[in-house]
Amino acid sequence: MAAGGSTQQRRREMAAASAAAISGAGRCRLSKIGATRRPPPARVRVAVRLRPFVDGTAGASDPPCVRGMDSCSLEIANWRNHQETLKYQFDAFYGERSTQQDIYAGSVQPILRHLLEGQNASVLAYGPTGAGKTHTMLGSPEQPGVIPRALMDLLQLTREEGAEGRPWALSVTMSYLEIYQEKVLDLLDPASGDLVIREDCRGNILIPGLTQKPITSFADFERHFLPASRNRTVGATRLNQRSSRSHAVLLVKVDQRERLAPFRQREGKLYLIDLAGSEDNRRTGNKGLRLKESGAINTSLFVLGKVVDALNQGLPRVPYRDSKLTRLLQDSLGGSAHSILIANIAPERRFYLDTVSALNFAARSKEVINRPFTNESLQPHVLGPVKLSQKELLGPPEAKRARGPEEEEIGSPEPMAAPASASQKLSPLQKLSSMDPAMLERLLSLDRLLASQGSQGAPLLSTPKRERMVLMKTVEEKDLEIERLKTKQKELEAKMLAQKAEEKENHCPTMLRPLSHRTVTGAKPLKKAVVMPLQLIQEQAASPNAEIHILKNKGRKRKLESLDALEPEEKAEDCWELQISPELLAHGRQKILDLLNEGSARDLRSLQRIGPKKAQLIVGWRELHGPFSQVEDLERVEGITGKQMESFLKANILGLAAGQRCGAS
């Protein structure tokens, strides 16, 4: 008797745990679809690799055009001014003596741990043709690159995390494809033809029909990857004997399944992308098919730059769909992946323009923000069916009446022989307020008809009690959530209306008083606008007896008019004049002279009509020839003419003099 009671108790505990697991699965999917909290941001990390000089190339003895400053910054000569250099700073810089292990351990290896958390990651190799992108990603048998090192470490991590006794069971699959002339080709199955790129309901990018090969060891990876690599399209150009004519993408998926309840599932994807290099057909000598290939490559890379610019500027439309490459990289740039961009550059001066272009793209890419999140779900169908007694299939009121006093404590291990009617089985479902009674009656009639015809399988609505209770709870939670959102929407609308009413009251225009001296005789000509510094107006208005003089459009007599004058004086030809006291004028000139002799380039830019280039010219002239003796010495500086000097004095002395008088008051 005690053994039977303990067995029934364990069975009820298992049923409760299973119901909780399914309920949690429903809540997880709902929160996944309607995420109320945005995942934390993760900026795209950028590393730059400078390859060494290639033996046997022309100009190998020349000094390089790129020089590393430290582990994160570098400088390159400015082609517009050879005495200046352009400085760049990235997350990492690897010089010409860096090894494959340095690049992998410093930039790629830290992101592999995110795959075991159900998040996505991507590594992109970018740069001009001949800069060493394929060597960085693949390497050689003596110096393996990013792809073999990443796969070796990832398989080791999955073996450790998926060992017996661990909570998760892990599996790894790989796919390998190329984008050649805007066609997605499966390198593991070249006969499959052009594939399409789709997007699922969660926003994940996928390719239906792409071959997936399971791998459990590095030998399995080599068995699939090496033959597929030979299917990639390559060609010879003047710059590279084995130039990549397509973008290659290696996709590695890590699937995780929890061994115990609630049986969660996670999926992490790793993109290892070897981009084709941008090409200048004048230097590569491409013709015919090679010219068409380079056109497709340059077009896709141009769209890639547009995507980066659109993300940095916050534009409403990001042109992902303008290219197959950007469509596939939608997760990696501005999506849900931890992204690493390895920009490969060359030291030769003949690659100078390509190097500058690659560095500028890398500098813009490091401003892109991604938002990685965990791809986790709960699958209720993985739970095995739980056999419940007939009394457990009944609703709560019927079950209480059917149980005896002892059965309420331990329950009955054997099911009842008499089957319950459809109305009894559906008693909890009938309590749903949202169900139409006519619809319920029609469903019950259809259920009885199928039962009378001996239909195999469970009837339509006679589901087990556990699943019915879960459905009822899910529906109730949805109804409560909808009511809460409706209430919140009404509150926000009321608050918005109140704010609009308050703003309308605060900004109500006031009535203007008519001027006492204004007459309604005839139409007078419109007065022209009067312009003067704001500081001078405030300072003069502060003194009650002061007469405010302003800049007026006057004739050749050049008279000044007071604001208190009722009638304008005689008209004349247009000219402008401002009368300022000699003391303020002298002080303004002295202040400009002090700023020219002591101010930095940034201070000089505060003056009117002095831009960055002219400020640098003034500082350089001052270092060569000594301090300025007077303001007119600016005419000696290159790029400053006499007319510019005259407008410079008019614009700056007026502002500085007005600022001085305002400060003195």
Side-chain angles (χ1 to χ4, degrees):
M1 185 66 179
S6 61
T7 303
Q8 181 64 19
Q9 184 69 20
R10 287 196 300 270
R11 185 186 303 173
R12 286 193 294 180
E13 290 176 357
M14 291 174 58
S18 302
I22 299 177
S23 178
R27 288 195 298 270
C28 178
R29 287 193 296 272
L30 289 175
S31 62
K32 181 71 176 178
I33 297 173
T36 58
R37 184 176 61 182
R38 300 185 68 186
R43 182 176 55 83
V44 174
R45 300 181 61 84
V46 177
V48 176
R49 183 182 191 184
L50 176 64
R51 69 159 172 79
F53 281 95
V54 178
D55 296 336
T57 59
S61 59
D62 296 338
C65 61
V66 182
R67 182 170 65 94
M69 302 178 65
D70 52 34
S71 60
C72 295
S73 58
L74 64 132
E75 63 178 1
I76 184 173
N78 187 0
W79 65 277
R80 295 182 177 178
N81 187 354
H82 296 288
Q83 296 180 355
E84 297 179 355
T85 58
L86 303 176
K87 296 180 174 58
Y88 295 88
Q89 187 169 6
F90 301 100
D91 296 292
F93 171 71
Y94 301 99
E96 53 187 4
R97 296 184 179 180
S98 60
T99 62
Q100 301 277 58
Q101 176 62 23
D102 296 338
I103 298 171
Y104 171 74
S107 298
V108 180
Q109 192 176 27
I111 69 172
L112 297 181
R113 179 62 61 176
H114 296 296
L115 298 173
L116 302 182
E117 300 173 359
Q119 299 181 2
N120 299 335
S122 61
V123 181
L124 297 89
Y126 181 89
T129 181
K133 300 181 299 299
T134 305
H135 177 72
T136 300
M137 297 302 292
L138 295 179
S140 60
E142 298 79 15
Q143 298 179 356
V146 169
I147 290 179
R149 293 175 187 270
L151 265 297
M152 193 174 299
D153 286 354
L154 183 60
L155 291 172
Q156 180 64 26
L157 286 175
T158 54
R159 281 194 295 268
E160 294 175 357
E161 295 294 330
E164 292 294 335
R166 293 297 185 100
W168 295 90
L170 286 82
S171 61
V172 182
T173 59
M174 63 165 287
S175 302
Y176 197 26
L177 61 95
E178 71 171 356
I179 301 177
Y180 176 71
Q181 295 189 15
E182 289 301 302
K183 294 181 180 179
V184 180
L185 305 178
D186 190 353
L187 294 178
L188 294 175
D189 185 12
S192 59
D194 187 14
L195 303 177
V196 295
I197 302 177
R198 302 296 186 193
E199 183 176 357
D200 62 6
C201 59
R202 297 183 180 181
N204 298 322
I205 300 300
L206 52 91
I207 302 177
L210 184 64
T211 305
Q212 296 186 16
K213 297 290 186 179
I215 53 176
T216 58
S217 63
F218 190 75
D220 294 342
F221 167 73
E222 286 184 325
R223 185 172 67 254
H224 300 303
F225 182 78
L226 294 180
S229 299
R230 290 190 285 268
N231 296 330
R232 185 181 178 185
T233 306
V234 296
T237 63
R238 291 181 182 177
L239 300 179
N240 193 352
Q241 292 299 322
R242 287 186 56 83
S243 175
S244 301
R245 315 309 298 166
S246 64
H247 308 292
V249 180
L250 175 64
L251 173 59
V252 181
K253 287 185 179 181
V254 179
D255 294 322
Q256 305 180 61
R257 295 178 181 270
E258 199 171 17
R259 291 190 171 100
L260 301 176
F263 303 102
R264 292 174 294 176
Q265 290 186 356
R266 292 177 180 174
E267 181 185 76
K269 294 185 293 184
L270 174 63
Y271 292 92
L272 298 170
I273 305 166
D274 180 14
L275 298 174
S278 58
E279 295 182 340
D280 187 353
N281 295 317
R282 294 171 296 183
R283 293 191 294 111
T284 56
N286 291 333
K287 296 180 181 179
L289 179 61
R290 293 291 174 262
L291 184 62
K292 185 178 180 181
E293 293 171 349
S294 64
I297 293 171
N298 293 336
T299 300
S300 60
L301 294 178
F302 174 72
V303 176
L304 181 62
K306 289 173 56 179
V307 167
V308 171
D309 293 338
L311 292 172
N312 291 336
Q313 298 174 14
L315 298 181
R317 179 186 179 274
V318 181
Y320 288 117
R321 296 178 180 268
D322 292 357
S323 171
K324 294 290 184 67
L325 174 64
T326 53
R327 181 64 167 158
L328 189 61
L329 296 181
Q330 188 168 343
D331 288 340
S332 304
L333 295 174
S336 60
H338 297 270
S339 298
I340 301 293
L341 176 68
I342 303 177
N344 296 261
I345 57 177
E348 292 86 0
R349 291 188 177 274
R350 60 195 181 106
F351 288 101
Y352 176 80
L353 294 179
D354 294 332
T355 300
V356 172
S357 176
L359 291 177
N360 290 334
F361 175 80
R364 301 197 309 270
S365 299
K366 73 175 185 178
E367 304 298 330
V368 176
I369 301 298
N370 293 351
R371 294 190 177 273
F373 58 85
T374 300
N375 300 305
E376 184 176 289
S377 62
L378 296 175
Q379 302 294 336
H381 65 270
V382 300
L383 301 175
V386 180
K387 292 184 179 181
L388 300 176
S389 63
Q390 190 66 35
K391 291 183 179 180
E392 290 177 334
L393 294 175
L394 299 176
E398 290 78 6
K400 287 184 179 180
R401 290 195 297 268
R403 288 178 182 175
E406 296 181 356
E407 291 178 346
E408 284 200 17
E409 297 294 333
I410 59 175
S412 174
E414 297 294 331
M416 295 179 61
S421 63
S423 60
Q424 289 178 333
K425 295 179 184 179
L426 297 172
S427 56
L429 196 60
Q430 293 175 0
K431 295 180 181 180
L432 293 178
S433 59
S434 60
M435 180 172 288
D436 184 41
M439 181 63 66
L440 178 62
E441 184 61 26
R442 293 182 63 183
L443 291 175
L444 291 175
S445 302
L446 182 59
D447 191 15
R448 287 192 294 268
L449 178 61
L450 292 176
S452 62
Q453 293 179 356
S455 177
Q456 299 294 330
L460 291 178
L461 300 178
S462 58
T463 56
K465 173 190 172 183
R466 172 173 53 82
E467 298 180 9
R468 289 205 316 273
M469 297 302 294
V470 170
L471 292 175
M472 290 172 58
K473 188 173 182 180
T474 304
V475 172
E476 290 175 359
E477 290 177 354
K478 290 182 179 179
D479 293 339
L480 292 176
E481 183 69 13
I482 292 173
E483 293 297 330
R484 186 183 66 80
L485 293 176
K486 288 182 178 179
T487 305
K488 188 174 181 180
Q489 181 181 2
K490 292 180 180 179
E491 292 176 357
L492 292 176
E493 291 176 354
K495 187 176 180 181
M496 186 63 67
L497 292 176
Q499 289 180 356
K500 289 182 178 180
E502 184 178 357
E503 292 176 359
K504 189 175 181 181
E505 293 177 0
N506 293 337
H507 294 82
C508 183
T510 58
M511 296 298 293
L512 297 177
R513 297 180 180 178
L515 297 177
S516 57
H517 62 274
R518 194 170 185 178
T519 59
V520 197
T521 56
K524 294 183 179 181
L526 296 176
K527 294 183 179 181
K528 294 186 179 181
V530 177
V531 182
M532 69 176 298
L534 179 61
Q535 296 89 346
L536 186 58
I537 294 177
Q538 294 175 350
E539 189 272 334
Q540 292 178 354
S543 58
N545 299 326
E547 186 178 66
I548 302 177
H549 295 283
I550 56 180
L551 193 62
K552 294 287 292 183
N553 190 357
K554 286 300 178 182
R556 291 180 180 176
K557 296 182 180 180
R558 298 184 178 179
K559 295 182 179 180
L560 290 175
E561 181 185 21
S562 175
L563 286 179
D564 297 331
L566 298 179
E567 296 294 333
E569 298 191 10
E570 57 182 353
K571 300 180 180 179
E573 295 181 1
D574 292 341
C575 77
W576 297 87
E577 186 182 75
L578 178 67
Q579 293 182 357
I580 305 176
S581 63
E583 294 81 2
L584 294 179
L585 186 61
H587 182 272
R589 294 174 64 88
Q590 183 61 35
K591 193 169 182 180
I592 294 176
L593 185 60
D594 295 340
L595 195 60
L596 291 176
N597 290 329
E598 300 176 0
S600 61
R602 183 175 181 181
D603 298 334
L604 292 173
R605 290 174 61 182
S606 63
L607 294 174
Q608 297 289 335
R609 305 182 185 278
I610 296 297
K613 294 184 179 180
K614 291 184 179 179
Q616 293 292 341
L617 288 174
I618 292 172
V619 173
W621 192 91
R622 188 176 63 194
E623 293 177 355
L624 291 176
H625 303 284
F628 294 88
S629 59
Q630 56 182 353
V631 180
E632 284 73 10
D633 290 344
L634 278 176
E635 296 182 0
R636 303 179 185 178
V637 181
E638 182 182 355
I640 299 180
T641 62
K643 291 184 178 180
Q644 291 179 344
M645 185 65 204
E646 182 180 354
S647 61
F648 169 78
L649 291 175
K650 287 181 180 180
N652 288 283
I653 293 179
L654 177 62
L656 292 174
Q660 175 64 21
R661 294 189 62 183
C662 183
S665 64

